[in-house]
Amino acid sequence: MNKSFFWRFGLTGAVIVTALYAALPLDEKIHLGLDLQGGMHLVYEVQAEKALESRMSRMVEKIRGELENKGITPVDLHLDDELRIRLSVEQEGDVIAAKRVVAGIGALKMVTALSDGTALTYATSDERGKEIKEHAVDQALETLRNRIDQFGVSEPTIQRQGSQRILLQLPGVKEPERAKSLIKTTARLEFKLVDERASAAVDMAKPPPDLSADRELLYQYERDPVTGQLTKKTPYVLENRILMGGESITDADVQIDQQYNEPYVSLKFDSDGAKRFAEITEKNVKRRLAIVLDGKVHSAPVIQERIGGGSASISGRFSPEEARDLAIVLRAGALPAPLELLEERTVGPSLGADSVARGIKSI
């Protein structure tokens, strides 16, 4: 056979091998999208009005704290159904100090003042309210992106749709219910004091008791970490005041309790949070401090002494997956408002498999 034929054949083969070597991704695996490997298509709506309510509630607690620092105990301080802050003090001489406190917080304007001058009503401006809602959607988008990245979904699509909607496409998700739970968890962490006498008086066999405006009834639910079955339900009457929230958390990690061999979540606070937590525990030694996440009590330990160092922990008979997911949402930060699921579709990989097969065949 002609030598030139072998030469041309060899050269052609070398070119093909070189081209294939250059084209194939040897260092990393090709990430297939939702259309090729299947997965979840979700559309959520951010309940932005709740973000405004939450912001106003935090302002109420900040006002209360600043007034207490000045030695002023308000006769009334609450957020009404119209998201207006109602503030009244006992003496007219305290009104000027109260006005200065509110002015220092900012973002509020006086709406009404009673003739005796000791009762004031504040609201946020329409423009500021709109900014808070807009920021809530942007913050929810970033929070979801952080959670999904830590959950380990490759090449997700996370984007805003319209004014308050967020589109999520999660290729190759193997545990869809766990993913939805991780996405939708608000992760609003609160530290509140327990009213021991009121808690002891709650009768589980009777309807919940009528509580004063500054008390609320919440429950701790204990489940078997293997079967998931509810094993115990404990009532707690808590003081409404939020002593501290989760905004100061800088890290959350899963640890194993050496005594009970069960996972728990350890928390680290920033410098302001560490200082605040130390003050709370110092002032409330021998009282129970409830750790509340999304309206459920996870634990309510007795404060034995001042806790410095900027750390705390959340226990609750978690399964390893529950502990990991809780650490993820706490690290990623709380959602500024609840999410409502508007659309859910599970996309199968059959179309993608056919496309890949046809591609290989054509090559």
Side-chain angles (χ1 to χ4, degrees), residues 190-307:
E190 300 169 338
F191 294 86
K192 297 183 176 184
L193 289 172
V194 176
D195 185 329
E196 296 285 5
R197 291 186 178 181
S199 298
V202 175
D203 188 341
M204 294 290 289
K206 296 180 179 179
D210 292 330
L211 301 174
S212 60
D214 60 349
R215 296 290 187 273
E216 64 178 341
L217 176 63
L218 298 180
Y219 295 90
Q220 179 180 7
Y221 300 90
E222 296 184 29
R223 299 182 181 276
D224 187 289
V226 178
T227 65
Q229 295 294 318
L230 180 66
T231 58
K232 189 177 181 182
K233 180 180 176 182
T234 305
Y236 288 99
V237 175
L238 308 180
E239 296 181 4
N240 268 343
R241 183 182 176 188
I242 303 171
L243 298 179
M244 186 173 169
E247 62 276 356
S248 298
I249 293 175
T250 59
D251 194 19
D253 198 12
V254 179
Q255 304 289 340
I256 300 297
D257 188 301
Q258 298 299 321
Q259 182 176 359
Y260 299 103
N261 197 32
E262 291 181 349
Y264 67 93
V265 178
S266 64
L267 307 177
K268 294 290 184 183
F269 301 119
D270 59 21
S271 57
D272 290 339
K275 180 181 178 182
R276 179 63 179 154
F277 195 68
E279 291 174 352
I280 291 169
T281 53
E282 184 176 23
K283 292 178 181 178
N284 296 285
V285 172
K286 300 305 178 183
R287 293 200 62 181
R288 301 187 78 174
L289 183 66
I291 302 173
V292 182
L293 183 68
D294 291 344
K296 297 179 181 179
V297 178
H298 274 266
S299 57
V302 176
I303 302 172
Q304 299 293 352
E305 59 184 355
R306 178 182 183 274
I307 302 175

Side-chain angles (χ1 to χ4, degrees), residues 95-113:
V95 172
I96 295 177
K99 288 181 177 179
R100 286 176 178 170
V101 165
V102 177
I105 291 175
L108 292 172
K109 61 179 182 178
M110 187 183 296
V111 179
T112 60

